[in-house]
Amino acid sequence: MKLAAGKKAYFASDFHLGVPSFEKSLERERKIVRWLDMVSEDAQTIFLVGDLFDFWFEYNSVVPKGFTRFMGKLAELSDRGIELIIFTGNHDLWMFGYLEQELNAKVIKAPIDVIINNYSMLVGHGDGLGPHDKGYKSLKKIFTNPFFQWCFHRLHPNFGIGLANYWSRKSRAQGHEKEQEFLGEDEWLWTYAKKKESEKHRDLYLFGHRHLPLDLKVGENSRYVNLGEWINNYTYGEFDGQNFYLNTFEA
């Protein structure tokens, strides 16, 4: 990818639209739209790196209701020629073509190498990577299994989406979804980045998922950056063609 003069690439993840309540989600959605308005002034490409929704499942003719302002803003930006690249996360991995059709977005389901102006990045949501996340790794095998997806498709949306939202709320209430503390040298995506760097050099390893805004050194000439989240931190990445910055949106 080559950025045109004066253009930038932007990155954000973990919006988790839909929780903890309609009112709080709507407030956050409006803030995300304000951020999209701001970056659209010089954005060539916007990477949305997973968990945009706290739950998302595409039936053949039904998608979860809501998120109207967010989806409408993405459609507007796409119509203006801004490239949208969307990664699935562990909360919204069931994307089956709707966003490609409606938004002309590219939907990516695994980490990929991205080179912008000769600056190399490995970009992905981050779920299931590294030495930890063992419980989720087992669950992901079920969630991505075509047979189990077919079974879920057979459920009426009122029941299927309701069940998924109940499970998400219960998980959060039990503390399973709380923001994690920094694990130091055991921080697993940092460990994963170091391993990948030992195999092939990249300038940047860029992930979400951990809900921790981090900018850490990997080797001599590489960094691991975690994009954080938009429930508390409102952090995002900006690449101007030469340098990558981790910023906080205040508006």
Side-chain angles (χ1 to χ4, degrees), residues 214-232:
L214 297 172
D215 190 344
L216 302 170
K217 191 173 182 180
V218 178
E220 289 300 317
N221 301 298
S222 185
R223 299 156 65 190
Y224 156 59
V225 171
N226 194 284
L227 290 165
E229 46 72 44
W230 279 67
I231 297 174
N232 299 299

Side-chain angles (χ1 to χ4, degrees), residues 48-66:
L48 301 176
V49 193
D51 281 0
L52 309 184
F53 311 101
D54 202 63
F55 172 73
W56 182 269
F57 189 93
E58 295 174 13
Y59 292 85
N60 290 340
S61 56
V62 175
V63 296
K65 71 177 183 179

Side-chain angles (χ1 to χ4, degrees), residues 113 115 118-122 193 195-205 218-223:
D113 280 299
I115 300 176
N118 297 319
Y119 189 91
S120 59
M121 314 177 190
L122 182 66
K195 179 178 182 297
K196 300 300 286 186
E197 179 66 11
S198 70
E199 300 168 354
K200 175 184 176 181
H201 170 69
R202 298 165 178 94
D203 298 305
L204 180 66
Y205 295 84
V218 178
E220 289 300 317
N221 301 298
S222 185
R223 299 156 65 190

Side-chain angles (χ1 to χ4, degrees), residues 142-156:
I142 298 173
F143 292 159
T144 57
N145 183 286
F147 173 72
F148 289 112
Q149 290 177 351
W150 180 88
C151 290
F152 197 87
H153 263 113
R154 308 279 76 77
L155 299 177
H156 189 282

Side-chain angles (χ1 to χ4, degrees), residues 165-206:
N165 286 331
Y166 169 78
W167 187 11
S168 178
R169 288 193 299 269
K170 184 176 180 181
S171 181
R172 290 179 186 280
Q174 293 174 345
H176 297 165
E177 295 284 347
K178 67 181 180 181
E179 184 174 336
Q180 301 295 316
E181 294 182 356
F182 179 57
L183 300 175
E185 291 294 330
D186 292 327
E187 186 64 36
W188 68 71
L189 288 176
W190 192 18
T191 300
Y192 176 79
K194 292 175 183 176
K195 179 178 182 297
K196 300 300 286 186
E197 179 66 11
S198 70
E199 300 168 354
K200 175 184 176 181
H201 170 69
R202 298 165 178 94
D203 298 305
L204 180 66
Y205 295 84
L206 186 61

Side-chain angles (χ1 to χ4, degrees), residues 6-12 30-44 46 73 76-77 80 82 230 234-238 247-251:
K7 292 294 184 178
K8 298 178 180 180
Y10 289 95
F11 305 78
R30 286 173 169 151
K31 186 162 189 169
I32 293 165
V33 168
R34 293 196 297 273
W35 173 73
L36 288 169
D37 278 332
M38 181 192 77
V39 302
S40 69
E41 295 178 5
D42 57 8
Q44 178 172 307
I46 297 174
K73 180 56 62 176
E76 175 196 325
L77 299 185
R80 287 168 49 186
I82 296 174
W230 279 67
Y234 316 109
T235 43
Y236 67 95
E238 174 185 340
N247 301 325
T248 300
F249 182 63
E250 304 289 354

